[in-house]
Amino acid sequence: MFEGKVAVVTGASRGIGKAVAQRLAAQKATVIINYQRNAELAQALVCEIEEQGGKAEAYKCDVSDEQQCQDFLAAVVKKYGRIDILVNNAGVTRDGLLMRMPEEDFDKVININLKGTFHTMRLVSRQMLKQRYGRIVNMASVVGVCGNAGQANYAASKAGVIGLTKSAAKELASRGITVNAVAPGFIETDMTDVLSEKVKETAVSQIPLGVFGKTQQVAAAAIFLASDDAAYITGQVLHVDGGMVM
C-alpha cells in the first residue's frame, strides 16, 4: 500500500508510535523513527523492521525544539528526497490538579504535544506542497474533546492539536495534502500501565465496550488516514475510544 512512500513517525520508539511504524513498514513504507530519549528502543525497532524485510531508520529529535526539528526533517529530505506521510505521535503527560499545577508542567506538555506538532507540520508541509501530495495524521485524545480532571495541561494540548488539524486541513487541501487526527481513549500503553487498579476500574466503567484499547487498533486508524483510501477525508477526528465519546 505504501511502497515508495517515506513516512516520518514522531515518538515512535514505543507504544502507539511503535505500532504505527510497524504497520507502515509492513506495508512497504520507508519509516523514519523519531525518538528523543529511547535510543535503544528505537534502534531495536529498526532492527526488527529490517529483519522482516522492511526499511527503517532512527533519528533523534526533541520536537519541542524548532532547530532540532528543522535539522531532522532537512536530513530526511536530503537523504530520501521526499516526505509523504507525517504521523505526529510524540507526547507526554504531567498530570495534576489545575490549582496545584506548576507552570513548568503546563509548559512541558504544551511544548511537546502541541508546539511539537506545529513545528513538524509547518516544516513538512513545505516539502509536501512542492510534491503536491501528503498525508498528515496527528495524535489527539478523547480528553481533548471532553476534558479530564487532573489533566488540564494534557487536555488543552490535545484540544489544540484538534484545532491545528482542522485549520491546516483547510490551508493545505488544494495542494493534495490531507490533515486528520486520531483521538484515542484509554489504550494499553506505558502511560496507562502506571495507573492504579482503582483508576483503571473507574476508566473501564466509562467505556461502553468495557475494555482498554490496543495500540494496534489505534495504529490501524492512523494507517487508514495515511492511505490513499482516505484521499477524500480531511479535517476529521477519528475516535478510537470504545465509545467513550459519542
Side-chain angles (χ1 to χ4, degrees):
M1 183 185 293
F2 297 109
E3 191 165 4
K5 301 287 176 65
V6 177
V8 172
V9 185
T10 70
S13 63
R14 58 183 182 173
I16 292 171
K18 178 180 178 179
V20 171
Q22 288 170 323
R23 280 186 173 248
L24 284 166
Q27 297 188 35
K28 306 302 182 183
T30 297
V31 184
I32 309 304
I33 296 165
N34 159 253
Y35 69 95
Q36 182 182 352
R37 295 184 302 273
N38 300 308
E40 290 185 6
L41 291 178
Q43 195 54 50
L45 179 56
V46 170
C47 292
E48 175 191 317
I49 288 171
E50 290 179 340
E51 286 171 0
Q52 295 174 0
K55 298 177 182 178
E57 189 169 357
Y59 281 81
K60 182 178 181 178
C61 173
D62 177 355
V63 296
S64 69
D65 186 305
E66 181 183 15
Q67 188 60 54
Q68 286 191 41
C69 283
Q70 190 168 330
D71 294 343
F72 160 47
L73 295 167
V76 174
V77 173
K78 182 177 181 180
K79 182 168 184 177
Y80 295 98
R82 60 190 299 112
I83 296 175
D84 301 287
I85 299 164
L86 169 65
V87 180
N88 276 307
N89 174 74
V92 297
T93 56
R94 292 290 186 275
D95 295 349
L97 294 176
L98 176 64
M99 62 182 176
R100 297 175 184 166
M101 183 175 291
E103 185 173 357
E104 56 265 31
D105 284 359
F106 185 87
D107 289 345
K108 180 77 171 179
V109 171
I110 294 294
N111 286 341
I112 292 178
N113 297 7
L114 178 55
K115 200 169 184 182
T117 299
F118 162 73
H119 287 324
T120 56
M121 285 179 65
R122 181 169 63 86
L123 294 165
V124 167
S125 65
R126 295 172 182 173
Q127 177 63 31
M128 289 180 172
L129 285 167
K130 293 177 185 177
Q131 300 166 182
R132 298 185 71 86
Y133 176 89
R135 299 284 181 265
I136 298 174
V137 182
N138 297 323
M139 207 57 64
S141 170
V142 292
V143 305
V145 177
C146 59
N148 194 33
Q151 289 192 308
N153 50 1
Y154 188 75
S157 72
K158 294 303 186 179
V161 166
I162 291 171
L164 183 59
T165 297
K166 291 178 178 290
S167 296
K170 291 186 176 182
E171 291 182 15
L172 300 173
S174 65
R175 296 296 186 270
I177 303 166
T178 65
V179 188
N180 293 287
V182 177
F186 284 95
I187 308 299
E188 293 178 358
T189 64
D190 291 346
M191 284 187 180
T192 56
D193 284 346
V194 301
L195 299 175
S196 69
E197 288 304 314
K198 183 177 180 180
V199 170
K200 289 180 181 179
E201 289 173 6
T202 301
V204 167
S205 70
Q206 299 170 356
I207 303 170
L209 286 180
V211 293
F212 279 19
K214 308 286 187 182
T215 57
Q216 289 293 343
Q217 293 167 329
V218 182
I223 294 300
F224 166 66
L225 292 173
S227 74
D228 287 338
D229 287 339
Y232 201 55
I233 300 172
T234 196
Q236 302 305 306
V237 181
L238 178 54
H239 292 266
V240 185
D241 61 9
M244 283 184 67
V245 178
M246 293 190 184

